[in-house]
Amino acid sequence: MTDSNFQIIAVDNDSRELDKIRKAFDLLKTPCLPILYNEGDNIDEKYSNIRIAFFDINLGGLGNPADPLLCNIIASALKEILDKNNGPYALIFWSLHISKLPIIKKYIEEREKDDIPSPLVIDTINKALINNCLLYTSDAADDLLCVD
């Protein structure tokens, strides 16, 4: 387990998408650890003390995957990346598949006993909206992260 200096992580299977969210946090001078993850990857270390975790819903890169497969991939990634005793955190899905949130949320809540670190909050940010705005200005980054 790694007691990370980062309290925010971003997990995606597309390095270009990770760069977008990392640049937004850089503009805010807020450290964010980008983690490139593909289904079946073996993550060498688990992180603890993470307070906000941004995850792409479609980590398998499968287009429009069936719900059970999608949920299993997300559960596996959460177990591989976050320590079971991580502490309180918000899980924010950064995705084009936001309609899948209720299914994923229910799945995670039902499997807390299966060593999936339990988030306090689960929500989404629609990637389509982010991809259509200028993310490289501090105003756009503030809007993305709801900063006043």
PDB file of all heavy atoms in Angstrom, residues 10-15 18 34-45 54-61 70 72-82:
ATOM      1  N   ALA A  10      -6.991  10.203 -11.132  1.00  0.00           N
ATOM      2  CA  ALA A  10      -7.835  10.090 -12.322  1.00  0.00           C
ATOM      3  C   ALA A  10      -7.441   8.796 -13.028  1.00  0.00           C
ATOM      4  O   ALA A  10      -6.254   8.553 -13.262  1.00  0.00           O
ATOM      5  CB  ALA A  10      -7.635  11.283 -13.243  1.00  0.00           C
ATOM      6  N   VAL A  11      -8.437   7.959 -13.310  1.00  0.00           N
ATOM      7  CA  VAL A  11      -8.185   6.643 -13.895  1.00  0.00           C
ATOM      8  C   VAL A  11      -8.937   6.551 -15.217  1.00  0.00           C
ATOM      9  O   VAL A  11     -10.146   6.767 -15.274  1.00  0.00           O
ATOM     10  CB  VAL A  11      -8.648   5.519 -12.937  1.00  0.00           C
ATOM     11  CG1 VAL A  11      -8.385   4.153 -13.549  1.00  0.00           C
ATOM     12  CG2 VAL A  11      -7.972   5.653 -11.578  1.00  0.00           C
ATOM     13  N   ASP A  12      -8.207   6.241 -16.282  1.00  0.00           N
ATOM     14  CA  ASP A  12      -8.813   6.120 -17.608  1.00  0.00           C
ATOM     15  C   ASP A  12      -7.963   5.153 -18.415  1.00  0.00           C
ATOM     16  O   ASP A  12      -6.788   4.939 -18.104  1.00  0.00           O
ATOM     17  CB  ASP A  12      -8.871   7.491 -18.294  1.00  0.00           C
ATOM     18  CG  ASP A  12      -9.947   7.580 -19.367  1.00  0.00           C
ATOM     19  OD1 ASP A  12     -10.016   6.687 -20.233  1.00  0.00           O
ATOM     20  OD2 ASP A  12     -10.725   8.554 -19.342  1.00  0.00           O
ATOM     21  N   ASN A  13      -8.556   4.585 -19.470  1.00  0.00           N
ATOM     22  CA  ASN A  13      -7.809   3.697 -20.348  1.00  0.00           C
ATOM     23  C   ASN A  13      -7.291   4.441 -21.577  1.00  0.00           C
ATOM     24  O   ASN A  13      -6.666   3.848 -22.442  1.00  0.00           O
ATOM     25  CB  ASN A  13      -8.669   2.506 -20.785  1.00  0.00           C
ATOM     26  CG  ASN A  13      -9.874   2.935 -21.592  1.00  0.00           C
ATOM     27  OD1 ASN A  13     -10.506   3.938 -21.284  1.00  0.00           O
ATOM     28  ND2 ASN A  13     -10.201   2.175 -22.622  1.00  0.00           N
ATOM     29  N   ASP A  14      -7.516   5.753 -21.641  1.00  0.00           N
ATOM     30  CA  ASP A  14      -7.095   6.575 -22.778  1.00  0.00           C
ATOM     31  C   ASP A  14      -6.200   7.693 -22.253  1.00  0.00           C
ATOM     32  O   ASP A  14      -6.657   8.575 -21.511  1.00  0.00           O
ATOM     33  CB  ASP A  14      -8.339   7.137 -23.468  1.00  0.00           C
ATOM     34  CG  ASP A  14      -8.028   7.936 -24.718  1.00  0.00           C
ATOM     35  OD1 ASP A  14      -6.896   8.467 -24.846  1.00  0.00           O
ATOM     36  OD2 ASP A  14      -8.931   8.058 -25.563  1.00  0.00           O
ATOM     37  N   SER A  15      -4.943   7.688 -22.646  1.00  0.00           N
ATOM     38  CA  SER A  15      -3.990   8.681 -22.136  1.00  0.00           C
ATOM     39  C   SER A  15      -4.379  10.102 -22.540  1.00  0.00           C
ATOM     40  O   SER A  15      -4.112  11.049 -21.801  1.00  0.00           O
ATOM     41  CB  SER A  15      -2.571   8.362 -22.597  1.00  0.00           C
ATOM     42  OG  SER A  15      -2.498   8.379 -24.008  1.00  0.00           O
ATOM     43  N   LEU A  18      -6.844  11.273 -19.970  1.00  0.00           N
ATOM     44  CA  LEU A  18      -6.128  11.559 -18.712  1.00  0.00           C
ATOM     45  C   LEU A  18      -5.412  12.905 -18.788  1.00  0.00           C
ATOM     46  O   LEU A  18      -5.396  13.652 -17.807  1.00  0.00           O
ATOM     47  CB  LEU A  18      -5.113  10.459 -18.411  1.00  0.00           C
ATOM     48  CG  LEU A  18      -5.634   9.209 -17.742  1.00  0.00           C
ATOM     49  CD1 LEU A  18      -4.519   8.171 -17.606  1.00  0.00           C
ATOM     50  CD2 LEU A  18      -6.243   9.510 -16.391  1.00  0.00           C
ATOM     51  N   PRO A  34      -2.509  10.843 -12.448  1.00  0.00           N
ATOM     52  CA  PRO A  34      -3.179  10.128 -13.532  1.00  0.00           C
ATOM     53  C   PRO A  34      -2.737   8.660 -13.540  1.00  0.00           C
ATOM     54  O   PRO A  34      -1.550   8.358 -13.392  1.00  0.00           O
ATOM     55  CB  PRO A  34      -2.696  10.863 -14.785  1.00  0.00           C
ATOM     56  CG  PRO A  34      -1.386  11.467 -14.405  1.00  0.00           C
ATOM     57  CD  PRO A  34      -1.421  11.687 -12.922  1.00  0.00           C
ATOM     58  N   ILE A  35      -3.697   7.767 -13.680  1.00  0.00           N
ATOM     59  CA  ILE A  35      -3.398   6.330 -13.717  1.00  0.00           C
ATOM     60  C   ILE A  35      -3.992   5.765 -14.996  1.00  0.00           C
ATOM     61  O   ILE A  35      -5.212   5.758 -15.179  1.00  0.00           O
ATOM     62  CB  ILE A  35      -3.973   5.608 -12.490  1.00  0.00           C
ATOM     63  CG1 ILE A  35      -3.363   6.170 -11.208  1.00  0.00           C
ATOM     64  CG2 ILE A  35      -3.741   4.100 -12.601  1.00  0.00           C
ATOM     65  CD1 ILE A  35      -3.999   5.652  -9.926  1.00  0.00           C
ATOM     66  N   LEU A  36      -3.127   5.299 -15.889  1.00  0.00           N
ATOM     67  CA  LEU A  36      -3.575   4.650 -17.118  1.00  0.00           C
ATOM     68  C   LEU A  36      -3.905   3.205 -16.780  1.00  0.00           C
ATOM     69  O   LEU A  36      -3.062   2.477 -16.259  1.00  0.00           O
ATOM     70  CB  LEU A  36      -2.476   4.731 -18.178  1.00  0.00           C
ATOM     71  CG  LEU A  36      -2.843   4.264 -19.575  1.00  0.00           C
ATOM     72  CD1 LEU A  36      -3.969   5.112 -20.170  1.00  0.00           C
ATOM     73  CD2 LEU A  36      -1.616   4.324 -20.485  1.00  0.00           C
ATOM     74  N   TYR A  37      -5.146   2.815 -17.039  1.00  0.00           N
ATOM     75  CA  TYR A  37      -5.611   1.483 -16.635  1.00  0.00           C
ATOM     76  C   TYR A  37      -6.340   0.821 -17.793  1.00  0.00           C
ATOM     77  O   TYR A  37      -7.201   1.421 -18.428  1.00  0.00           O
ATOM     78  CB  TYR A  37      -6.571   1.594 -15.444  1.00  0.00           C
ATOM     79  CG  TYR A  37      -7.106   0.258 -14.974  1.00  0.00           C
ATOM     80  CD1 TYR A  37      -6.412  -0.484 -14.031  1.00  0.00           C
ATOM     81  CD2 TYR A  37      -8.288  -0.262 -15.485  1.00  0.00           C
ATOM     82  CE1 TYR A  37      -6.888  -1.710 -13.590  1.00  0.00           C
ATOM     83  CE2 TYR A  37      -8.776  -1.489 -15.048  1.00  0.00           C
ATOM     84  CZ  TYR A  37      -8.074  -2.212 -14.106  1.00  0.00           C
ATOM     85  OH  TYR A  37      -8.543  -3.425 -13.685  1.00  0.00           O
ATOM     86  N   ASN A  38      -5.977  -0.400 -18.057  1.00  0.00           N
ATOM     87  CA  ASN A  38      -6.697  -1.220 -19.018  1.00  0.00           C
ATOM     88  C   ASN A  38      -7.106  -2.508 -18.329  1.00  0.00           C
ATOM     89  O   ASN A  38      -6.359  -3.035 -17.486  1.00  0.00           O
ATOM     90  CB  ASN A  38      -5.816  -1.531 -20.236  1.00  0.00           C
ATOM     91  CG  ASN A  38      -5.613  -0.304 -21.088  1.00  0.00           C
ATOM     92  OD1 ASN A  38      -6.552   0.214 -21.686  1.00  0.00           O
ATOM     93  ND2 ASN A  38      -4.384   0.197 -21.125  1.00  0.00           N
ATOM     94  N   GLU A  39      -8.271  -3.013 -18.684  1.00  0.00           N
ATOM     95  CA  GLU A  39      -8.768  -4.240 -18.059  1.00  0.00           C
ATOM     96  C   GLU A  39      -7.690  -5.309 -18.116  1.00  0.00           C
ATOM     97  O   GLU A  39      -7.046  -5.516 -19.142  1.00  0.00           O
ATOM     98  CB  GLU A  39     -10.015  -4.720 -18.787  1.00  0.00           C
ATOM     99  CG  GLU A  39     -10.593  -5.970 -18.183  1.00  0.00           C
ATOM    100  CD  GLU A  39     -11.710  -6.555 -19.016  1.00  0.00           C
ATOM    101  OE1 GLU A  39     -11.952  -6.099 -20.133  1.00  0.00           O
ATOM    102  OE2 GLU A  39     -12.320  -7.497 -18.511  1.00  0.00           O
ATOM    103  N   GLY A  40      -7.475  -5.942 -16.986  1.00  0.00           N
ATOM    104  CA  GLY A  40      -6.476  -6.992 -16.907  1.00  0.00           C
ATOM    105  C   GLY A  40      -5.098  -6.503 -16.503  1.00  0.00           C
ATOM    106  O   GLY A  40      -4.200  -7.300 -16.261  1.00  0.00           O
ATOM    107  N   ASP A  41      -4.916  -5.174 -16.439  1.00  0.00           N
ATOM    108  CA  ASP A  41      -3.638  -4.634 -15.967  1.00  0.00           C
ATOM    109  C   ASP A  41      -3.421  -5.066 -14.523  1.00  0.00           C
ATOM    110  O   ASP A  41      -4.361  -5.154 -13.745  1.00  0.00           O
ATOM    111  CB  ASP A  41      -3.630  -3.102 -16.000  1.00  0.00           C
ATOM    112  CG  ASP A  41      -3.399  -2.544 -17.389  1.00  0.00           C
ATOM    113  OD1 ASP A  41      -3.196  -3.340 -18.320  1.00  0.00           O
ATOM    114  OD2 ASP A  41      -3.429  -1.313 -17.531  1.00  0.00           O
ATOM    115  N   ASN A  42      -2.179  -5.321 -14.191  1.00  0.00           N
ATOM    116  CA  ASN A  42      -1.831  -5.572 -12.794  1.00  0.00           C
ATOM    117  C   ASN A  42      -1.222  -4.297 -12.237  1.00  0.00           C
ATOM    118  O   ASN A  42      -0.167  -3.871 -12.665  1.00  0.00           O
ATOM    119  CB  ASN A  42      -0.837  -6.733 -12.675  1.00  0.00           C
ATOM    120  CG  ASN A  42      -1.490  -8.058 -12.981  1.00  0.00           C
ATOM    121  OD1 ASN A  42      -2.635  -8.282 -12.613  1.00  0.00           O
ATOM    122  ND2 ASN A  42      -0.773  -8.941 -13.654  1.00  0.00           N
ATOM    123  N   ILE A  43      -1.919  -3.705 -11.305  1.00  0.00           N
ATOM    124  CA  ILE A  43      -1.417  -2.490 -10.661  1.00  0.00           C
ATOM    125  C   ILE A  43      -0.505  -2.924  -9.519  1.00  0.00           C
ATOM    126  O   ILE A  43      -0.893  -3.726  -8.671  1.00  0.00           O
ATOM    127  CB  ILE A  43      -2.583  -1.627 -10.131  1.00  0.00           C
ATOM    128  CG1 ILE A  43      -3.567  -1.286 -11.253  1.00  0.00           C
ATOM    129  CG2 ILE A  43      -2.082  -0.377  -9.437  1.00  0.00           C
ATOM    130  CD1 ILE A  43      -3.011  -0.442 -12.366  1.00  0.00           C
ATOM    131  N   ASP A  44       0.716  -2.405  -9.518  1.00  0.00           N
ATOM    132  CA  ASP A  44       1.723  -2.836  -8.545  1.00  0.00           C
ATOM    133  C   ASP A  44       1.436  -2.398  -7.121  1.00  0.00           C
ATOM    134  O   ASP A  44       1.884  -3.032  -6.181  1.00  0.00           O
ATOM    135  CB  ASP A  44       3.112  -2.326  -8.951  1.00  0.00           C
ATOM    136  CG  ASP A  44       3.592  -2.979 -10.242  1.00  0.00           C
ATOM    137  OD1 ASP A  44       3.182  -4.114 -10.524  1.00  0.00           O
ATOM    138  OD2 ASP A  44       4.377  -2.330 -10.953  1.00  0.00           O
ATOM    139  N   GLU A  45       0.739  -1.290  -6.962  1.00  0.00           N
ATOM    140  CA  GLU A  45       0.515  -0.778  -5.614  1.00  0.00           C
ATOM    141  C   GLU A  45      -0.902  -0.246  -5.461  1.00  0.00           C
ATOM    142  O   GLU A  45      -1.516   0.192  -6.415  1.00  0.00           O
ATOM    143  CB  GLU A  45       1.524   0.304  -5.283  1.00  0.00           C
ATOM    144  CG  GLU A  45       1.562   1.440  -6.279  1.00  0.00           C
ATOM    145  CD  GLU A  45       2.727   2.371  -6.040  1.00  0.00           C
ATOM    146  OE1 GLU A  45       3.032   2.651  -4.878  1.00  0.00           O
ATOM    147  OE2 GLU A  45       3.323   2.815  -7.022  1.00  0.00           O
ATOM    148  N   PHE A  54     -11.474  10.098  -9.805  1.00  0.00           N
ATOM    149  CA  PHE A  54     -12.159  10.216 -11.087  1.00  0.00           C
ATOM    150  C   PHE A  54     -11.897   8.938 -11.875  1.00  0.00           C
ATOM    151  O   PHE A  54     -10.739   8.578 -12.088  1.00  0.00           O
ATOM    152  CB  PHE A  54     -11.620  11.414 -11.882  1.00  0.00           C
ATOM    153  CG  PHE A  54     -12.022  12.743 -11.326  1.00  0.00           C
ATOM    154  CD1 PHE A  54     -11.238  13.392 -10.383  1.00  0.00           C
ATOM    155  CD2 PHE A  54     -13.183  13.357 -11.754  1.00  0.00           C
ATOM    156  CE1 PHE A  54     -11.597  14.626  -9.871  1.00  0.00           C
ATOM    157  CE2 PHE A  54     -13.561  14.604 -11.247  1.00  0.00           C
ATOM    158  CZ  PHE A  54     -12.771  15.224 -10.312  1.00  0.00           C
ATOM    159  N   PHE A  55     -12.955   8.267 -12.287  1.00  0.00           N
ATOM    160  CA  PHE A  55     -12.829   7.029 -13.055  1.00  0.00           C
ATOM    161  C   PHE A  55     -13.626   7.144 -14.341  1.00  0.00           C
ATOM    162  O   PHE A  55     -14.771   7.621 -14.323  1.00  0.00           O
ATOM    163  CB  PHE A  55     -13.403   5.843 -12.264  1.00  0.00           C
ATOM    164  CG  PHE A  55     -12.422   5.120 -11.400  1.00  0.00           C
ATOM    165  CD1 PHE A  55     -11.908   5.717 -10.264  1.00  0.00           C
ATOM    166  CD2 PHE A  55     -12.022   3.835 -11.703  1.00  0.00           C
ATOM    167  CE1 PHE A  55     -11.024   5.052  -9.443  1.00  0.00           C
ATOM    168  CE2 PHE A  55     -11.132   3.158 -10.886  1.00  0.00           C
ATOM    169  CZ  PHE A  55     -10.630   3.761  -9.759  1.00  0.00           C
ATOM    170  N   ASP A  56     -13.050   6.683 -15.434  1.00  0.00           N
ATOM    171  CA  ASP A  56     -13.822   6.514 -16.654  1.00  0.00           C
ATOM    172  C   ASP A  56     -14.731   5.307 -16.421  1.00  0.00           C
ATOM    173  O   ASP A  56     -14.304   4.296 -15.850  1.00  0.00           O
ATOM    174  CB  ASP A  56     -12.880   6.263 -17.830  1.00  0.00           C
ATOM    175  CG  ASP A  56     -13.607   6.102 -19.153  1.00  0.00           C
ATOM    176  OD1 ASP A  56     -14.750   6.570 -19.280  1.00  0.00           O
ATOM    177  OD2 ASP A  56     -13.014   5.502 -20.063  1.00  0.00           O
ATOM    178  N   ILE A  57     -15.985   5.389 -16.839  1.00  0.00           N
ATOM    179  CA  ILE A  57     -16.896   4.252 -16.672  1.00  0.00           C
ATOM    180  C   ILE A  57     -16.476   3.097 -17.565  1.00  0.00           C
ATOM    181  O   ILE A  57     -16.517   1.938 -17.172  1.00  0.00           O
ATOM    182  CB  ILE A  57     -18.361   4.664 -16.953  1.00  0.00           C
ATOM    183  CG1 ILE A  57     -18.909   5.475 -15.778  1.00  0.00           C
ATOM    184  CG2 ILE A  57     -19.248   3.434 -17.211  1.00  0.00           C
ATOM    185  CD1 ILE A  57     -20.335   5.963 -15.942  1.00  0.00           C
ATOM    186  N   ASN A  58     -16.033   3.402 -18.768  1.00  0.00           N
ATOM    187  CA  ASN A  58     -15.720   2.351 -19.741  1.00  0.00           C
ATOM    188  C   ASN A  58     -14.220   2.068 -19.775  1.00  0.00           C
ATOM    189  O   ASN A  58     -13.545   2.333 -20.766  1.00  0.00           O
ATOM    190  CB  ASN A  58     -16.244   2.754 -21.120  1.00  0.00           C
ATOM    191  CG  ASN A  58     -16.167   1.631 -22.123  1.00  0.00           C
ATOM    192  OD1 ASN A  58     -15.863   0.503 -21.777  1.00  0.00           O
ATOM    193  ND2 ASN A  58     -16.449   1.939 -23.361  1.00  0.00           N
ATOM    194  N   LEU A  59     -13.697   1.510 -18.705  1.00  0.00           N
ATOM    195  CA  LEU A  59     -12.267   1.218 -18.626  1.00  0.00           C
ATOM    196  C   LEU A  59     -11.839   0.103 -19.567  1.00  0.00           C
ATOM    197  O   LEU A  59     -10.668  -0.030 -19.881  1.00  0.00           O
ATOM    198  CB  LEU A  59     -11.877   0.843 -17.190  1.00  0.00           C
ATOM    199  CG  LEU A  59     -11.883   1.985 -16.197  1.00  0.00           C
ATOM    200  CD1 LEU A  59     -11.644   1.459 -14.793  1.00  0.00           C
ATOM    201  CD2 LEU A  59     -10.862   3.029 -16.567  1.00  0.00           C
ATOM    202  N   GLY A  60     -12.798  -0.696 -20.020  1.00  0.00           N
ATOM    203  CA  GLY A  60     -12.468  -1.772 -20.954  1.00  0.00           C
ATOM    204  C   GLY A  60     -12.396  -1.307 -22.390  1.00  0.00           C
ATOM    205  O   GLY A  60     -11.963  -2.050 -23.263  1.00  0.00           O
ATOM    206  N   GLY A  61     -12.838  -0.067 -22.669  1.00  0.00           N
ATOM    207  CA  GLY A  61     -12.808   0.449 -24.034  1.00  0.00           C
ATOM    208  C   GLY A  61     -13.681  -0.353 -24.976  1.00  0.00           C
ATOM    209  O   GLY A  61     -13.336  -0.559 -26.135  1.00  0.00           O
ATOM    210  N   LEU A  70     -19.355  -4.268 -17.470  1.00  0.00           N
ATOM    211  CA  LEU A  70     -18.945  -2.919 -17.099  1.00  0.00           C
ATOM    212  C   LEU A  70     -18.736  -2.810 -15.588  1.00  0.00           C
ATOM    213  O   LEU A  70     -17.716  -2.318 -15.113  1.00  0.00           O
ATOM    214  CB  LEU A  70     -20.015  -1.928 -17.560  1.00  0.00           C
ATOM    215  CG  LEU A  70     -19.750  -0.456 -17.392  1.00  0.00           C
ATOM    216  CD1 LEU A  70     -18.683   0.001 -18.370  1.00  0.00           C
ATOM    217  CD2 LEU A  70     -21.034   0.317 -17.634  1.00  0.00           C
ATOM    218  N   ASN A  72     -18.214  -5.234 -13.408  1.00  0.00           N
ATOM    219  CA  ASN A  72     -17.103  -6.076 -12.963  1.00  0.00           C
ATOM    220  C   ASN A  72     -15.756  -5.410 -13.213  1.00  0.00           C
ATOM    221  O   ASN A  72     -14.852  -5.489 -12.375  1.00  0.00           O
ATOM    222  CB  ASN A  72     -17.150  -7.438 -13.641  1.00  0.00           C
ATOM    223  CG  ASN A  72     -18.229  -8.326 -13.072  1.00  0.00           C
ATOM    224  OD1 ASN A  72     -18.606  -8.199 -11.912  1.00  0.00           O
ATOM    225  ND2 ASN A  72     -18.755  -9.221 -13.882  1.00  0.00           N
ATOM    226  N   ILE A  73     -15.610  -4.755 -14.368  1.00  0.00           N
ATOM    227  CA  ILE A  73     -14.352  -4.080 -14.682  1.00  0.00           C
ATOM    228  C   ILE A  73     -14.106  -2.941 -13.695  1.00  0.00           C
ATOM    229  O   ILE A  73     -12.998  -2.779 -13.175  1.00  0.00           O
ATOM    230  CB  ILE A  73     -14.354  -3.565 -16.144  1.00  0.00           C
ATOM    231  CG1 ILE A  73     -14.334  -4.748 -17.118  1.00  0.00           C
ATOM    232  CG2 ILE A  73     -13.148  -2.657 -16.399  1.00  0.00           C
ATOM    233  CD1 ILE A  73     -14.592  -4.366 -18.566  1.00  0.00           C
ATOM    234  N   ILE A  74     -15.134  -2.150 -13.418  1.00  0.00           N
ATOM    235  CA  ILE A  74     -14.991  -1.032 -12.477  1.00  0.00           C
ATOM    236  C   ILE A  74     -14.668  -1.542 -11.077  1.00  0.00           C
ATOM    237  O   ILE A  74     -13.775  -1.026 -10.403  1.00  0.00           O
ATOM    238  CB  ILE A  74     -16.261  -0.163 -12.470  1.00  0.00           C
ATOM    239  CG1 ILE A  74     -16.375   0.578 -13.803  1.00  0.00           C
ATOM    240  CG2 ILE A  74     -16.259   0.810 -11.297  1.00  0.00           C
ATOM    241  CD1 ILE A  74     -17.709   1.225 -14.038  1.00  0.00           C
ATOM    242  N   ALA A  75     -15.371  -2.581 -10.634  1.00  0.00           N
ATOM    243  CA  ALA A  75     -15.113  -3.151  -9.307  1.00  0.00           C
ATOM    244  C   ALA A  75     -13.679  -3.656  -9.209  1.00  0.00           C
ATOM    245  O   ALA A  75     -12.991  -3.415  -8.210  1.00  0.00           O
ATOM    246  CB  ALA A  75     -16.105  -4.267  -9.006  1.00  0.00           C
ATOM    247  N   SER A  76     -13.215  -4.329 -10.236  1.00  0.00           N
ATOM    248  CA  SER A  76     -11.834  -4.832 -10.239  1.00  0.00           C
ATOM    249  C   SER A  76     -10.834  -3.689 -10.163  1.00  0.00           C
ATOM    250  O   SER A  76      -9.856  -3.756  -9.412  1.00  0.00           O
ATOM    251  CB  SER A  76     -11.565  -5.657 -11.501  1.00  0.00           C
ATOM    252  OG  SER A  76     -12.305  -6.845 -11.480  1.00  0.00           O
ATOM    253  N   ALA A  77     -11.073  -2.633 -10.936  1.00  0.00           N
ATOM    254  CA  ALA A  77     -10.155  -1.488 -10.932  1.00  0.00           C
ATOM    255  C   ALA A  77     -10.127  -0.819  -9.560  1.00  0.00           C
ATOM    256  O   ALA A  77      -9.053  -0.482  -9.049  1.00  0.00           O
ATOM    257  CB  ALA A  77     -10.565  -0.491 -12.008  1.00  0.00           C
ATOM    258  N   LEU A  78     -11.303  -0.636  -8.958  1.00  0.00           N
ATOM    259  CA  LEU A  78     -11.351  -0.033  -7.619  1.00  0.00           C
ATOM    260  C   LEU A  78     -10.571  -0.874  -6.613  1.00  0.00           C
ATOM    261  O   LEU A  78      -9.813  -0.342  -5.798  1.00  0.00           O
ATOM    262  CB  LEU A  78     -12.799   0.137  -7.154  1.00  0.00           C
ATOM    263  CG  LEU A  78     -13.585   1.274  -7.799  1.00  0.00           C
ATOM    264  CD1 LEU A  78     -15.076   1.123  -7.505  1.00  0.00           C
ATOM    265  CD2 LEU A  78     -13.069   2.616  -7.320  1.00  0.00           C
ATOM    266  N   LYS A  79     -10.754  -2.196  -6.657  1.00  0.00           N
ATOM    267  CA  LYS A  79     -10.048  -3.075  -5.713  1.00  0.00           C
ATOM    268  C   LYS A  79      -8.549  -3.083  -5.964  1.00  0.00           C
ATOM    269  O   LYS A  79      -7.768  -3.193  -5.027  1.00  0.00           O
ATOM    270  CB  LYS A  79     -10.603  -4.499  -5.798  1.00  0.00           C
ATOM    271  CG  LYS A  79     -11.978  -4.618  -5.190  1.00  0.00           C
ATOM    272  CD  LYS A  79     -12.444  -6.021  -4.918  1.00  0.00           C
ATOM    273  CE  LYS A  79     -12.522  -6.928  -6.082  1.00  0.00           C
ATOM    274  NZ  LYS A  79     -13.238  -8.183  -5.821  1.00  0.00           N
ATOM    275  N   GLU A  80      -8.141  -2.970  -7.228  1.00  0.00           N
ATOM    276  CA  GLU A  80      -6.716  -3.000  -7.552  1.00  0.00           C
ATOM    277  C   GLU A  80      -6.006  -1.690  -7.224  1.00  0.00           C
ATOM    278  O   GLU A  80      -4.833  -1.692  -6.870  1.00  0.00           O
ATOM    279  CB  GLU A  80      -6.517  -3.303  -9.041  1.00  0.00           C
ATOM    280  CG  GLU A  80      -6.801  -4.738  -9.412  1.00  0.00           C
ATOM    281  CD  GLU A  80      -6.609  -4.980 -10.896  1.00  0.00           C
ATOM    282  OE1 GLU A  80      -5.598  -4.502 -11.446  1.00  0.00           O
ATOM    283  OE2 GLU A  80      -7.469  -5.644 -11.495  1.00  0.00           O
ATOM    284  N   ILE A  81      -6.713  -0.570  -7.355  1.00  0.00           N
ATOM    285  CA  ILE A  81      -6.068   0.736  -7.228  1.00  0.00           C
ATOM    286  C   ILE A  81      -6.170   1.309  -5.815  1.00  0.00           C
ATOM    287  O   ILE A  81      -5.206   1.876  -5.304  1.00  0.00           O
ATOM    288  CB  ILE A  81      -6.646   1.715  -8.273  1.00  0.00           C
ATOM    289  CG1 ILE A  81      -6.266   1.223  -9.676  1.00  0.00           C
ATOM    290  CG2 ILE A  81      -6.156   3.139  -8.026  1.00  0.00           C
ATOM    291  CD1 ILE A  81      -6.979   1.939 -10.803  1.00  0.00           C
ATOM    292  N   LEU A  82      -7.321   1.167  -5.179  1.00  0.00           N
ATOM    293  CA  LEU A  82      -7.521   1.761  -3.855  1.00  0.00           C
ATOM    294  C   LEU A  82      -7.405   0.710  -2.749  1.00  0.00           C
ATOM    295  O   LEU A  82      -7.974  -0.375  -2.858  1.00  0.00           O
ATOM    296  CB  LEU A  82      -8.897   2.425  -3.760  1.00  0.00           C
ATOM    297  CG  LEU A  82      -9.115   3.651  -4.628  1.00  0.00           C
ATOM    298  CD1 LEU A  82     -10.540   4.151  -4.472  1.00  0.00           C
ATOM    299  CD2 LEU A  82      -8.124   4.755  -4.291  1.00  0.00           C
TER     300      LEU A  82
END
